[in-house]
Amino acid sequence: MDTTTRNEPQQQPLRILFLPYFAPGHLIPAADMAAVFAARGARCTILTTPVNADIIRPAVDRANNANDSNPAIPIDISVVPFPDVGLPPGFENVRYMNQSHGPEHYGKFLHAALLLREPFDRFLAAARPGVDGVVTDSFFTWSQDAAAAHGVPRLVFLGISVFARSCFESTLRNNPLEACPEDDDDPDALVLLPGLPHRVELRRRQILDPRKRLLEWQFYESASAADRRSFGEVFNSFRELEPDYVEHFHANLSRRGWLVGPVALATDSRDVVATGGISTDGVADSCIRWLDAKPVGSVVYVSFGTLTSFSPADLVELMEPMYPQLLIHLLLRARPRFPVNTEQIGLRIISIPLG
């Protein structure tokens, strides 16, 4: 028997605004996360710029098309102009940067991130019905205060694992380089990150040094402080992958976190992720077929991320010590000219044509 009445108000879906940073590892998972939220009945809007909207639109369209048979609300993309910070037209995502671009280019992206506060404020002020919560990137350090000014709770999303976040917080809270002997400036010396569930060491050169990069250190300190004031953090991960660090995040860092990954399954955006935001039909399927042909436990996958750039000589130096113990396949956007015969060192190339 239907117990509802005509006068009983219907509960409105939660309205969530996503503001992802303009880098593939931040942008694409945020779009997938919106699909996870939408599949559970939330009304999701992604606020971004024209080029970044084009990058995520295929994933959003797939999510919306997949939801046609259920009551999920379509995801919207709200497009705002990319701030004028002196970058070339269309240069709206850090994946366009290469080794020829100096640090000033990255600084311009951070400046653009600051200037997005105005359209963010306008959206929150004008939204009808109002926004119930925002999911914003940690790089938008102002977004906690902006959301609070509108009475809206903020969830943080940075795109990294709970383990990586814990290491990051250990570095900021303890500055482990201070414990190093003053006369030891060996860049390859091992430095312990304190306060973690396991013994974790990094090379000295891998750790942010506030004495040499003070502005960068201050930026991350301000981001971390804003994140700690937020309602909590969402991760593209799952508890079974890193249970000790989930517990550490909650109990020792006193932070609220929710693991909702792997979010790529929500939109089947594997092809887009594999190429840093450039969709290439069939790449994922061809990789799966290749993997299916290999014996169980015989393949190790190593990713250097979507922004890392190596010269052919660097790649050879990385791979040569592993031969002949390992047969190495490289998945590359284009086949470069190598300084040696790659077949002689057991290196095989799989190229992805990007058109």
Side-chain angles (χ1 to χ4, degrees):
M1 178 178 177
D2 187 358
T3 59
T4 61
T5 67
R6 182 175 298 178
N7 295 327
E8 184 177 335
Q10 291 186 343
Q11 183 175 357
Q12 294 297 313
L14 289 175
R15 187 170 189 186
I16 309 296
L17 176 65
F18 286 79
L19 180 65
Y21 187 65
F22 0 85
H26 300 241
L27 178 69
I28 298 168
D32 292 336
M33 191 174 293
V36 172
F37 281 45
R40 286 154 179 78
R43 179 181 177 185
C44 298
T45 300
I46 303 171
L47 184 68
T48 191
T49 64
V51 170
N52 292 298
D54 289 340
I55 292 173
I56 61 173
R57 186 164 281 113
V60 170
D61 288 345
R62 280 196 299 272
N64 289 341
N65 292 337
N67 289 335
D68 282 347
S69 58
N70 63 45
I73 302 171
I75 303 165
D76 294 323
I77 302 177
S78 180
V79 179
V80 298
F82 191 83
D84 183 4
V85 291
L87 291 169
F91 205 95
E92 301 178 14
N93 191 289
V94 296
R95 72 173 172 83
Y96 296 122
M97 292 180 60
N98 55 47
Q99 293 177 334
S100 68
H101 298 121
E104 68 275 4
H105 275 72
Y106 192 71
K108 290 178 179 179
F109 275 105
L110 293 179
H111 186 204
L114 290 174
L115 297 179
L116 279 186
R117 176 164 185 166
E118 182 179 345
F120 181 81
D121 276 326
R122 285 201 307 267
F123 188 98
L124 291 182
R128 298 292 183 274
V131 173
D132 297 293
V134 299
V135 180
T136 67
D137 199 281
S138 182
F139 279 25
F140 297 110
T141 56
W142 46 263
S143 60
Q144 166 57 29
D145 292 335
H150 293 271
V152 176
R154 176 212 184 198
L155 291 173
V156 183
F157 176 65
L158 186 54
I160 61 177
S161 65
V162 187
F163 167 73
R165 174 58 114 171
S166 300
C167 293
F168 185 68
E169 288 296 317
S170 172
T171 301
L172 288 177
R173 295 184 182 202
N174 301 287
N175 188 10
L177 292 180
E178 288 186 337
C180 297
E182 292 184 3
D183 58 347
D184 182 7
D185 57 357
D186 179 7
D188 289 321
L190 292 174
V191 179
L192 177 69
L193 300 187
L196 296 174
H198 302 96
R199 184 176 182 85
V200 177
E201 296 176 318
L202 293 178
R203 304 288 181 187
R204 184 173 188 145
R205 56 183 161 79
Q206 296 175 302
I207 299 176
L208 182 62
D209 189 344
R211 293 169 297 183
K212 298 178 181 178
R213 296 154 65 184
L214 179 59
L215 291 178
E216 191 174 350
W217 178 273
Q218 290 174 337
F219 171 80
Y220 286 120
E221 277 193 321
S222 66
S224 178
D227 294 347
R228 290 195 299 271
R229 298 198 310 272
S230 299
F231 187 78
E233 187 161 352
V234 281
F235 291 93
N236 181 16
S237 183
F238 51 98
R239 177 177 289 272
E240 292 81 1
L241 181 65
E242 43 186 351
D244 293 339
Y245 289 89
V246 175
E247 179 63 24
H248 170 74
F249 189 79
H250 292 308
N252 298 329
L253 298 183
S254 301
R255 303 273 292 274
R256 284 182 289 199
W258 293 269
L259 283 72
V260 297
V263 295
L265 299 178
T267 64
D268 195 22
S269 62
R270 291 167 295 173
D271 277 3
V272 180
V273 173
T275 57
I278 303 175
S279 180
T280 54
D281 293 338
V283 171
D285 289 339
S286 63
C287 288
I288 293 298
R289 287 196 299 272
W290 182 85
L291 286 170
D292 285 343
K294 304 301 176 185
V296 174
S298 67
V299 176
V300 176
Y301 172 69
V302 180
S303 171
F304 295 104
T306 54
L307 300 178
T308 305
S309 178
F310 290 115
S311 69
D314 288 338
L315 287 170
V316 170
E317 186 176 352
L318 282 169
M319 306 304 171
E320 193 168 12
M322 304 183 205
Y323 178 76
Q325 285 79 16
L326 299 174
L327 179 62
I328 302 164
H329 289 71
L330 285 181
L331 187 65
L332 302 175
R333 294 186 182 183
R335 187 185 182 101
R337 296 179 63 86
F338 283 91
V340 298
N341 185 331
T342 56
E343 291 292 337
Q344 290 181 355
I345 64 168
L347 183 62
R348 297 182 182 178
I349 312 299
I350 306 172
S351 297
I352 306 173
L354 296 182

